[in-house]
Amino acid sequence: SEAEERRIRYDRQVRLWGSGVQQRLHSTVLIVSPGTPYYADEALKNLALAGVGKIRIIPEDLAQQQNEN
């Protein structure tokens, strides 16, 4: 099952910080702007590997519109 696969995949992390934290991490949605510095790529990769639920990259025009407000 998917839950069993996730338990095996994140076993070390669950032992480190507990299943509650891992569940919160899995339900997290990160929103990233296209202007994110290149060195953030490694951090985003590591967060994805740690089990972040979703990483959304917003369109550049939307990011610019939000910055103007």
Side-chain angles (χ1 to χ4, degrees):
S1 75
E2 185 179 333
E4 180 65 15
E5 184 179 314
R6 213 179 313 148
R7 185 191 68 75
I8 293 168
R9 180 180 299 151
Y10 302 118
D11 178 64
R12 282 187 262 168
Q13 291 166 209
V14 169
R15 285 188 274 153
L16 178 65
W17 53 55
S19 61
V21 173
Q22 187 64 39
Q23 183 58 39
R24 284 190 306 228
L25 190 60
H26 182 70
S27 64
T28 298
V29 177
L30 293 176
I31 300 173
V32 181
S33 169
T36 303
Y38 69 90
Y39 51 81
D41 292 350
E42 186 69 17
L44 289 172
K45 179 200 76 162
N46 289 336
L47 287 167
L49 290 172
V52 166
K54 295 179 183 174
I55 298 176
R56 302 280 187 206
I57 300 174
I58 60 172
E60 189 169 351
D61 58 335
L62 182 60
Q64 288 176 349
Q65 181 182 16
Q66 291 296 320
N67 286 336
E68 292 172 0
N69 293 330

Coordinates of all heavy atoms in Angstrom, one line a residue:
S1 N 0.8 -1.2 0.0 CA 0.0 0.0 0.0 C 0.9 1.3 0.0 O 2.1 1.2 0.3 CB -0.9 0.0 1.2 OG -0.2 0.3 2.4
E2 N 0.3 2.4 -0.3 CA 1.0 3.6 -0.4 C 1.5 4.0 1.0 O 2.7 4.5 1.2 CB 0.2 4.7 -0.9 CG 0.9 6.0 -1.1 CD 0.0 7.1 -1.7 OE1 -0.9 6.8 -2.4 OE2 0.3 8.3 -1.5
A3 N 0.7 3.8 2.0 CA 1.1 4.2 3.4 C 2.3 3.3 3.8 O 3.3 3.8 4.4 CB 0.0 4.0 4.3
E4 N 2.3 2.1 3.5 CA 3.4 1.2 3.9 C 4.7 1.6 3.1 O 5.8 1.6 3.7 CB 3.1 -0.3 3.6 CG 4.2 -1.3 3.9 CD 4.5 -1.4 5.4 OE1 3.7 -0.9 6.2 OE2 5.6 -1.9 5.7
E5 N 4.6 1.9 1.8 CA 5.7 2.4 1.0 C 6.3 3.6 1.6 O 7.5 3.8 1.7 CB 5.3 2.6 -0.4 CG 6.4 3.0 -1.3 CD 5.9 3.2 -2.8 OE1 5.2 2.3 -3.2 OE2 6.3 4.2 -3.4
R6 N 5.4 4.6 2.0 CA 5.9 5.8 2.6 C 6.6 5.5 4.0 O 7.6 6.2 4.3 CB 4.7 6.7 2.8 CG 5.1 8.2 2.7 CD 4.0 9.2 2.8 NE 2.8 8.8 2.1 CZ 1.6 9.1 2.5 NH1 1.4 9.7 3.6 NH2 0.5 8.7 1.8
R7 N 6.0 4.6 4.7 CA 6.6 4.3 6.0 C 8.1 3.7 5.9 O 9.0 4.1 6.6 CB 5.8 3.2 6.8 CG 6.3 2.9 8.2 CD 5.6 1.7 8.8 NE 6.0 0.5 8.1 CZ 7.1 -0.2 8.3 NH1 8.1 0.3 9.0 NH2 7.4 -1.3 7.6
I8 N 8.2 2.9 4.9 CA 9.6 2.3 4.6 C 10.5 3.4 4.1 O 11.7 3.5 4.5 CB 9.5 1.2 3.6 CG1 8.7 0.0 4.2 CG2 10.9 0.8 3.1 CD1 8.3 -1.1 3.3
R9 N 10.0 4.2 3.2 CA 10.9 5.3 2.6 C 11.4 6.3 3.6 O 12.5 6.7 3.5 CB 10.1 6.0 1.5 CG 10.9 7.1 0.8 CD 10.1 7.9 -0.2 NE 9.7 6.9 -1.3 CZ 8.6 7.1 -2.0 NH1 7.8 8.1 -1.9 NH2 8.4 6.2 -3.0
Y10 N 10.5 6.7 4.5 CA 10.9 7.7 5.5 C 11.2 7.2 6.9 O 11.1 7.9 7.8 CB 9.8 8.8 5.5 CG 9.5 9.4 4.1 CD1 8.3 9.3 3.5 CD2 10.5 10.1 3.5 CE1 8.1 9.8 2.3 CE2 10.3 10.6 2.2 CZ 9.1 10.5 1.6 OH 8.8 11.0 0.4
D11 N 11.5 5.9 7.0 CA 11.7 5.3 8.3 C 12.7 6.0 9.1 O 12.5 6.3 10.3 CB 12.2 3.8 8.1 CG 12.4 3.1 9.4 OD1 11.5 3.0 10.1 OD2 13.6 2.8 9.6
R12 N 13.9 6.4 8.6 CA 14.9 7.0 9.4 C 14.5 8.4 9.9 O 14.7 8.8 11.0 CB 16.2 7.2 8.6 CG 17.0 5.9 8.5 CD 18.3 6.2 7.8 NE 18.2 5.8 6.4 CZ 19.0 6.1 5.5 NH1 20.1 6.7 5.7 NH2 18.9 5.7 4.2
Q13 N 13.7 9.1 9.0 CA 13.2 10.4 9.5 C 12.2 10.3 10.6 O 12.2 11.1 11.5 CB 12.6 11.2 8.3 CG 13.7 11.6 7.3 CD 13.1 12.0 6.0 OE1 13.7 11.9 5.0 NE2 11.9 12.5 5.9
V14 N 11.3 9.3 10.4 CA 10.3 9.1 11.5 C 11.0 8.7 12.8 O 10.6 9.2 13.8 CB 9.3 8.0 11.0 CG1 8.4 7.6 12.2 CG2 8.5 8.5 9.8
R15 N 12.0 7.9 12.7 CA 12.7 7.6 14.0 C 13.4 8.8 14.6 O 13.6 8.9 15.8 CB 13.8 6.5 13.7 CG 13.1 5.1 13.6 CD 14.1 4.0 13.5 NE 14.6 3.9 12.1 CZ 15.7 3.4 11.8 NH1 16.6 3.1 12.7 NH2 16.0 3.3 10.5
L16 N 13.8 9.8 13.7 CA 14.5 11.0 14.2 C 13.6 12.0 14.8 O 13.8 12.4 15.9 CB 15.3 11.6 13.0 CG 16.0 12.9 13.3 CD1 17.1 12.6 14.3 CD2 16.6 13.5 12.0
W17 N 12.5 12.3 14.1 CA 11.6 13.4 14.6 C 10.2 13.0 14.8 O 9.3 13.8 15.2 CB 11.7 14.6 13.8 CG 11.4 14.5 12.3 CD1 10.4 13.9 11.7 CD2 12.3 14.9 11.3 NE1 10.5 14.0 10.3 CE2 11.7 14.6 10.0 CE3 13.5 15.6 11.2 CZ2 12.3 14.9 8.8 CZ3 14.1 15.8 10.0 CH2 13.5 15.5 8.8
G18 N 9.8 11.7 14.6 CA 8.5 11.2 14.9 C 7.5 11.3 13.7 O 7.7 12.0 12.8
S19 N 6.5 10.5 13.8 CA 5.6 10.3 12.7 C 4.7 11.6 12.5 O 4.3 11.9 11.4 CB 4.7 9.1 12.9 OG 4.0 9.2 14.1
G20 N 4.4 12.3 13.6 CA 3.6 13.5 13.6 C 4.3 14.6 12.7 O 3.7 15.2 11.9
V21 N 5.6 14.8 12.9 CA 6.3 15.8 12.1 C 6.4 15.3 10.7 O 6.2 16.1 9.7 CB 7.8 16.0 12.7 CG1 8.6 16.9 11.8 CG2 7.7 16.6 14.1
Q22 N 6.6 14.1 10.4 CA 6.7 13.6 9.1 C 5.4 13.7 8.4 O 5.3 14.1 7.2 CB 7.1 12.1 9.0 CG 7.4 11.6 7.6 CD 8.6 12.3 7.0 OE1 9.6 12.6 7.6 NE2 8.4 12.5 5.7
Q23 N 4.3 13.5 9.1 CA 3.0 13.7 8.5 C 2.7 15.2 8.1 O 2.2 15.5 7.1 CB 1.9 13.2 9.4 CG 0.5 13.3 8.9 CD 0.3 12.5 7.6 OE1 0.8 11.4 7.4 NE2 -0.4 13.1 6.6
R24 N 3.1 16.1 9.0 CA 3.0 17.5 8.7 C 3.8 17.9 7.5 O 3.4 18.7 6.7 CB 3.4 18.4 9.9 CG 2.3 18.4 11.0 CD 2.6 19.4 12.1 NE 3.9 19.2 12.6 CZ 4.2 19.1 13.9 NH1 3.3 19.3 14.8 NH2 5.5 18.9 14.3
L25 N 5.0 17.4 7.4 CA 5.9 17.6 6.3 C 5.2 17.1 5.0 O 5.2 17.8 4.0 CB 7.3 16.9 6.5 CG 8.4 17.3 5.5 CD1 8.7 18.8 5.6 CD2 9.6 16.5 5.9
H26 N 4.6 16.0 5.1 CA 4.0 15.4 3.9 C 2.8 16.2 3.5 O 2.4 16.3 2.3 CB 3.5 14.0 4.2 CG 2.9 13.3 3.0 ND1 3.6 12.9 1.9 CD2 1.6 13.0 2.7 CE1 2.8 12.4 1.0 NE2 1.6 12.4 1.5
S27 N 2.1 16.9 4.4 CA 1.0 17.7 4.0 C 1.3 19.2 3.7 O 0.4 20.0 3.4 CB -0.1 17.7 5.2 OG 0.5 18.3 6.3
T28 N 2.6 19.5 3.7 CA 3.1 20.9 3.4 C 3.1 21.1 1.9 O 3.4 20.3 1.1 CB 4.5 21.1 4.0 OG1 4.5 20.9 5.4 CG2 5.1 22.4 3.6
V29 N 2.7 22.4 1.6 CA 2.8 22.8 0.2 C 3.7 24.0 0.2 O 3.5 25.0 0.8 CB 1.4 23.2 -0.4 CG1 1.5 23.8 -1.8 CG2 0.4 22.1 -0.3
L30 N 4.8 23.9 -0.6 CA 5.7 25.0 -0.8 C 5.4 25.8 -2.0 O 5.2 25.1 -3.1 CB 7.2 24.5 -0.9 CG 7.8 23.9 0.4 CD1 9.2 23.4 0.1 CD2 7.9 24.9 1.5
I31 N 5.4 27.1 -2.0 CA 5.1 27.9 -3.2 C 6.4 28.6 -3.5 O 7.0 29.3 -2.6 CB 4.0 28.9 -3.0 CG1 2.7 28.1 -2.6 CG2 3.8 29.8 -4.2 CD1 1.5 28.9 -2.3
V32 N 6.9 28.4 -4.7 CA 8.2 29.0 -5.1 C 8.1 29.9 -6.3 O 7.4 29.6 -7.2 CB 9.2 27.8 -5.5 CG1 10.5 28.3 -5.9 CG2 9.3 26.8 -4.4
S33 N 8.7 31.0 -6.2 CA 8.7 32.0 -7.3 C 9.8 31.7 -8.3 O 10.9 31.2 -7.9 CB 9.0 33.4 -6.7 OG 9.2 34.3 -7.7
P34 N 9.6 31.9 -9.6 CA 10.6 31.6 -10.6 C 11.9 32.4 -10.3 O 13.0 32.0 -10.8 CB 10.0 32.1 -11.9 CG 8.6 32.2 -11.7 CD 8.4 32.4 -10.2
G35 N 11.9 33.5 -9.6 CA 13.1 34.3 -9.3 C 13.9 33.7 -8.2 O 14.8 34.4 -7.7
T36 N 13.6 32.5 -7.7 CA 14.3 31.9 -6.6 C 15.8 31.7 -7.0 O 16.0 31.2 -8.1 CB 13.7 30.6 -6.2 OG1 12.3 30.8 -5.9 CG2 14.4 30.0 -5.0
P37 N 16.7 32.1 -6.2 CA 18.1 32.0 -6.5 C 18.5 30.5 -6.9 O 17.9 29.6 -6.3 CB 18.9 32.4 -5.3 CG 17.9 33.2 -4.5 CD 16.5 32.7 -4.9
Y38 N 19.4 30.4 -7.8 CA 19.8 29.0 -8.2 C 20.3 28.1 -7.1 O 20.1 26.9 -7.1 CB 20.9 29.1 -9.3 CG 22.2 29.6 -8.7 CD1 23.2 28.7 -8.3 CD2 22.5 30.9 -8.7 CE1 24.4 29.1 -7.7 CE2 23.7 31.4 -8.2 CZ 24.7 30.5 -7.7 OH 25.8 30.9 -7.2
Y39 N 20.9 28.7 -6.0 CA 21.4 27.9 -4.9 C 20.2 27.3 -4.1 O 20.5 26.4 -3.3 CB 22.4 28.6 -4.1 CG 21.9 30.0 -3.6 CD1 21.1 30.1 -2.5 CD2 22.3 31.1 -4.3 CE1 20.7 31.4 -2.1 CE2 21.9 32.4 -3.8 CZ 21.1 32.5 -2.7 OH 20.6 33.7 -2.3
A40 N 19.0 27.8 -4.3 CA 17.9 27.3 -3.5 C 17.5 25.9 -4.1 O 16.7 25.2 -3.5 CB 16.7 28.2 -3.6
D41 N 17.9 25.6 -5.3 CA 17.6 24.3 -6.0 C 17.9 23.1 -5.1 O 17.2 22.2 -5.0 CB 18.2 24.2 -7.3 CG 17.7 25.2 -8.4 OD1 16.7 25.8 -8.1 OD2 18.3 25.3 -9.4
E42 N 19.1 23.2 -4.5 CA 19.6 22.1 -3.6 C 18.7 21.9 -2.4 O 18.3 20.8 -2.0 CB 21.0 22.3 -3.2 CG 21.6 21.2 -2.5 CD 21.9 19.9 -3.3 OE1 21.9 20.0 -4.6 OE2 22.1 18.9 -2.7
A43 N 18.3 23.1 -1.8 CA 17.4 23.0 -0.7 C 16.0 22.5 -1.1 O 15.5 21.6 -0.3 CB 17.2 24.4 -0.1
L44 N 15.5 22.9 -2.2 CA 14.2 22.3 -2.7 C 14.3 20.8 -2.9 O 13.4 20.1 -2.6 CB 13.8 23.1 -3.9 CG 13.3 24.5 -3.7 CD1 13.1 25.2 -5.1 CD2 12.1 24.6 -2.9
K45 N 15.4 20.4 -3.5 CA 15.6 19.0 -3.8 C 15.6 18.2 -2.4 O 14.9 17.2 -2.3 CB 16.9 18.7 -4.5 CG 17.2 17.2 -4.8 CD 18.6 16.9 -5.0 CE 19.3 17.0 -3.7 NZ 20.6 16.4 -3.6
N46 N 16.3 18.7 -1.5 CA 16.4 18.1 -0.2 C 15.0 18.0 0.5 O 14.7 17.0 1.2 CB 17.4 18.7 0.7 CG 18.8 18.4 0.2 OD1 19.1 17.5 -0.5 ND2 19.8 19.3 0.5
L47 N 14.3 19.1 0.4 CA 12.9 19.1 1.0 C 12.0 18.1 0.3 O 11.2 17.4 0.9 CB 12.3 20.5 0.9 CG 12.9 21.5 1.9 CD1 12.5 22.9 1.5 CD2 12.5 21.2 3.3
A48 N 12.1 18.0 -1.0 CA 11.4 17.0 -1.8 C 11.7 15.6 -1.3 O 10.9 14.7 -1.1 CB 11.6 17.2 -3.3
L49 N 13.0 15.3 -1.2 CA 13.5 14.0 -0.7 C 13.0 13.7 0.7 O 12.8 12.6 1.1 CB 15.0 13.9 -0.8 CG 15.5 13.8 -2.2 CD1 17.1 13.9 -2.2 CD2 15.1 12.6 -3.0
A50 N 12.9 14.8 1.5 CA 12.5 14.6 2.9 C 11.0 14.3 3.0 O 10.5 13.9 4.1 CB 12.8 15.8 3.7
G51 N 10.2 14.5 1.9 CA 8.8 14.2 1.9 C 7.8 15.3 1.9 O 6.7 15.1 2.2
V52 N 8.3 16.5 1.5 CA 7.3 17.6 1.4 C 6.2 17.2 0.4 O 6.5 16.6 -0.6 CB 8.0 18.9 0.9 CG1 7.0 19.9 0.4 CG2 8.9 19.5 2.0
G53 N 5.0 17.5 0.8 CA 3.9 17.0 0.0 C 3.9 17.5 -1.4 O 3.8 16.8 -2.4
K54 N 4.0 18.9 -1.6 CA 3.9 19.5 -2.9 C 4.8 20.7 -3.0 O 4.9 21.4 -2.0 CB 2.5 19.9 -3.3 CG 1.5 18.8 -3.4 CD 0.1 19.3 -3.7 CE -0.8 18.0 -3.7 NZ -2.2 18.4 -3.8
I55 N 5.4 20.9 -4.1 CA 6.2 22.1 -4.4 C 5.6 22.7 -5.6 O 5.6 22.1 -6.7 CB 7.7 21.8 -4.6 CG1 8.3 21.2 -3.4 CG2 8.4 23.1 -5.0 CD1 9.7 20.7 -3.5
R56 N 5.0 23.9 -5.5 CA 4.4 24.6 -6.6 C 5.3 25.7 -7.1 O 5.7 26.5 -6.2 CB 3.0 25.2 -6.2 CG 2.1 24.1 -5.7 CD 1.4 23.4 -6.8 NE 0.4 22.5 -6.3 CZ 0.0 21.5 -6.9 NH1 0.5 21.1 -8.0 NH2 -0.9 20.7 -6.4
I57 N 5.5 25.8 -8.4 CA 6.2 27.0 -8.9 C 5.2 27.9 -9.6 O 4.5 27.4 -10.5 CB 7.3 26.5 -9.9 CG1 8.3 25.6 -9.3 CG2 8.0 27.7 -10.6 CD1 9.3 24.9 -10.2
I58 N 5.1 29.1 -9.1 CA 4.0 30.0 -9.6 C 4.6 30.7 -10.9 O 5.8 30.9 -11.0 CB 3.6 31.0 -8.6 CG1 4.7 31.9 -8.1 CG2 2.9 30.3 -7.4 CD1 4.3 33.0 -7.2
P59 N 3.7 31.0 -11.8 CA 4.1 31.7 -13.0 C 4.7 33.0 -12.7 O 4.4 33.7 -11.8 CB 2.8 31.9 -13.8 CG 1.8 30.9 -13.2 CD 2.2 30.7 -11.8
E60 N 5.7 33.4 -13.5 CA 6.5 34.6 -13.3 C 5.6 35.8 -13.3 O 5.8 36.7 -12.5 CB 7.6 34.8 -14.4 CG 8.5 35.9 -14.1 CD 9.7 35.9 -15.0 OE1 9.9 34.9 -15.7 OE2 10.5 36.8 -14.9
D61 N 4.6 35.9 -14.2 CA 3.7 37.1 -14.2 C 2.9 37.2 -12.9 O 2.7 38.3 -12.4 CB 2.8 37.1 -15.4 CG 1.9 35.9 -15.6 OD1 2.3 34.8 -15.0 OD2 0.9 36.0 -16.2
L62 N 2.5 36.1 -12.4 CA 1.8 36.1 -11.1 C 2.7 36.6 -10.0 O 2.3 37.3 -9.1 CB 1.1 34.7 -10.8 CG 0.3 34.6 -9.5 CD1 -0.9 35.6 -9.6 CD2 -0.2 33.2 -9.3
A63 N 3.9 36.1 -10.0 CA 4.9 36.5 -8.9 C 5.1 38.0 -9.0 O 5.2 38.7 -8.0 CB 6.2 35.7 -9.1
Q64 N 5.3 38.5 -10.2 CA 5.5 40.0 -10.4 C 4.3 40.8 -9.9 O 4.4 41.8 -9.2 CB 5.8 40.3 -11.8 CG 7.2 39.8 -12.2 CD 7.4 40.1 -13.7 OE1 6.5 40.4 -14.5 NE2 8.7 39.9 -14.1
Q65 N 3.1 40.3 -10.2 CA 1.9 40.9 -9.8 C 1.8 41.0 -8.3 O 1.4 42.0 -7.7 CB 0.7 40.2 -10.4 CG -0.7 40.8 -10.0 CD -1.8 40.0 -10.6 OE1 -1.7 38.9 -11.0 NE2 -3.0 40.6 -10.7
Q66 N 2.1 39.9 -7.6 CA 2.1 39.8 -6.2 C 3.1 40.7 -5.5 O 2.9 41.3 -4.5 CB 2.3 38.4 -5.7 CG 1.2 37.4 -6.0 CD -0.1 37.8 -5.3 OE1 -0.1 38.2 -4.1 NE2 -1.2 37.7 -6.0
N67 N 4.3 40.9 -6.2 CA 5.3 41.8 -5.7 C 4.9 43.2 -5.8 O 5.4 44.1 -5.0 CB 6.6 41.5 -6.4 CG 7.3 40.2 -6.0 OD1 7.0 39.7 -4.9 ND2 8.1 39.7 -6.8
E68 N 4.1 43.6 -6.8 CA 3.7 45.0 -6.9 C 2.6 45.4 -5.9 O 2.5 46.6 -5.6 CB 3.1 45.1 -8.3 CG 4.1 45.0 -9.4 CD 3.5 45.0 -10.8 OE1 2.3 45.1 -11.0 OE2 4.3 44.9 -11.8
N69 N 2.0 44.4 -5.3 CA 0.9 44.8 -4.3 C 1.5 45.0 -2.9 O 2.3 44.8 -2.3 CB -0.2 43.7 -4.2 CG -0.9 43.7 -5.5 OD1 -1.1 44.7 -6.2 ND2 -1.5 42.5 -5.9

